Amino acid sequence: MSTQQTPPSPPPRLPISVLTGFLGSGKTTLLSRLIRDPAMVRTAVVINEFGEVGLDHLLVEQSDENMVLMDSGCLCCTIRSDLAETLRDLYMKRMRGDIPEFDRVVIETTGLADPAPILHTLMTDPLIASRFRLDGVVTTIDTVHGMGQLDEHEESLKQAAVADRVVLTKTDLAEPAKVEALRRRLHDLNPGAVHVDAQKDQGLPVLLFDAGLYNPATKSLDVQRWLKAEAYEGGDDHHHDHDHGHCDHDHGHCTHDHHDHGHEHHAHDHGHDHHDHSHCDHDHGHCDHDHDHVHGHDHHHHDVNRHNDKISSFVIRSEKPLPWDGLVTFFETVAKAQGDNILRVKGLLNVEEAERPIVIHGVQHLFHPPVQLDTWPTADQSTRIVFIVKDLKRETVQELFDSVVNAKAA
Ligand SMILES: Nc1nc2c(ncn2[C@@H]2O[C@H](COP(=O)(O)OP(=O)(O)OP(=O)(O)O)[C@@H](O)[C@H]2O)c(=O)[nH]1
């Protein structure tokens, strides 16, 4: 992690959305819909093959064998030898004016892929990292088979855990109770992700993209919307969530269980999630409220370690300003010791030496350069670091934080 404290804000790099999801979960179907949508104008979509998205007569212009322009204004491009080369090539052609200018990129990954290596490429290849930034991860989940896939395939769990947007597919085929049980499980697995219904929701590009720190609607950095720390906190008691194996065998039972435990507010959250993008902001109003409620309490007791198989998420919170070198040591140590178990980290930091808050963002052991915000997003000036992890206890991370950061702060 770099110790640079004042990188440019907002970042001028082109946003990339990574589309992932299990085999047959509906990535291509979603992409075929997206590339025909006029809102995808000035978007470059990187796919495996043209054939899979059925371009046929929609194609208006082919610049070379790897690239076509759709009449929606969406540029479709197939992967060359590897992703890094494809992105470099795209960027150079854009610079030279060989292809229409595009403002964002969407990359489809293959079905069984652990998305982490792709995210690594985006963050580590110097040419790519200086021209592009990760906007978000979009994960398709099949509502008919998704529960079983989450049980049986770790890749599927990881894809859901790193998502900024979860697209529920095949809701026209699945029983509503199963869809609801899956929604709950996904929410427990990754409370910050917004759920979108591929069948019912309209305006998919708006719902799926701009999931990052930069909010094009307000033309500013929107850390509340991005961090969603409140979604990982709050007084939820998720002790019964451990038994998701049951869900696959007995969804009705599982749904009942949740209701029996008074989790109606989950359904409420989900209801908000899949309406339209503006609900993100509405959600925030909602979350702020929750957050104020939580704020008056001892956060260490209210942070809930949500278990979903081996994956859990939690927030490390600290009220006092923290020394930068302590924070750097903490992130370096945690990345070195537990890098493989850290799926995603997002943090808003109150740093002693900095007048303004600093935002960090990491995938496994890699971190984007920190970004300094102009102001605090709300009156709450505490440090909040969201972790989504695998096989890693909250206590382990908290202990390290206490010994490295809090000890230095004391
Ligand atoms: N009824 C229904 N069928 C869907 C939906 N989404 C996808 N399908 C079907 O599910 C099958 C798999 O969908 P794809 O879009 O090819 O899935 P994919 O994730 O691209 O698959 P891979 O490339 O093999 O990983 C296809 O037959 C689609 O027509 C949906 O929302 N409803």
Side-chain angles (χ1 to χ4, degrees), residues 141-143 146-147 150 157 160-161 166 168 171 175-196 231 236-245 247-248 250-271 273-274 306-309 311 313:
I141 305 268
D142 178 334
T143 53
M147 195 67 95
L150 289 171
L157 269 179
V166 167
L168 296 162
T171 50
E175 287 168 29
K178 284 196 175 186
V179 177
E180 198 46 41
L182 184 61
R183 274 183 182 281
R184 289 180 202 286
R185 182 174 185 185
L186 292 166
H187 181 80
D188 291 339
L189 185 62
N190 180 352
V194 172
H195 291 188
V196 173
D236 293 349
D237 176 2
H238 282 249
H239 293 314
H240 60 290
D241 287 339
H242 49 293
D243 248 354
H244 284 293
C247 290
D248 205 26
D250 190 352
H251 290 288
H253 175 66
C254 180
T255 308
H256 256 292
D257 258 354
H258 280 279
H259 282 299
D260 288 345
H261 284 75
H263 281 247
E264 292 79 0
H265 68 284
H266 272 197
H268 178 70
D269 281 345
H270 292 307
D273 281 342
H274 70 273
R306 297 163 194 259
H307 293 279
N308 198 301
D309 307 275
I311 293 180
S313 57

Side-chain angles (χ1 to χ4, degrees), residues 22-29 108 111 169-173 198-199:
F22 203 71
L23 285 170
S25 61
K27 296 178 293 296
T28 309
T29 307
E108 179 194 12
T169 63
K170 311 186 192 178
T171 50
D172 52 324
L173 303 176
Q199 284 291 323

Side-chain angles (χ1 to χ4, degrees), residues 22-68:
F22 203 71
L23 285 170
S25 61
K27 296 178 293 296
T28 309
T29 307
L30 180 66
L31 272 177
S32 317
R33 234 179 105 187
L34 284 174
I35 60 175
R36 289 162 172 78
D37 192 317
M40 293 289 283
V41 66
R42 299 176 69 91
T43 301
V45 175
V46 178
I47 56 175
N48 296 315
E49 290 167 46
F50 290 139
E52 60 183 18
V53 286
L55 298 183
D56 37 56
H57 61 282
L58 294 161
L59 150 102
V60 291
E61 193 182 313
Q62 179 148 12
S63 60
D64 65 32
E65 60 182 29
N66 294 104
M67 244 170 258
V68 297

Side-chain angles (χ1 to χ4, degrees), residues 5 7 38 53 56 81 97 147 171 174-175 216 245 267 271 287 314 320-321 369 400:
Q5 287 189 12
V53 286
D56 37 56
S81 57
M147 195 67 95
T171 50
E175 287 168 29
C287 288
F314 52 83
K320 57 189 174 206
L400 183 68

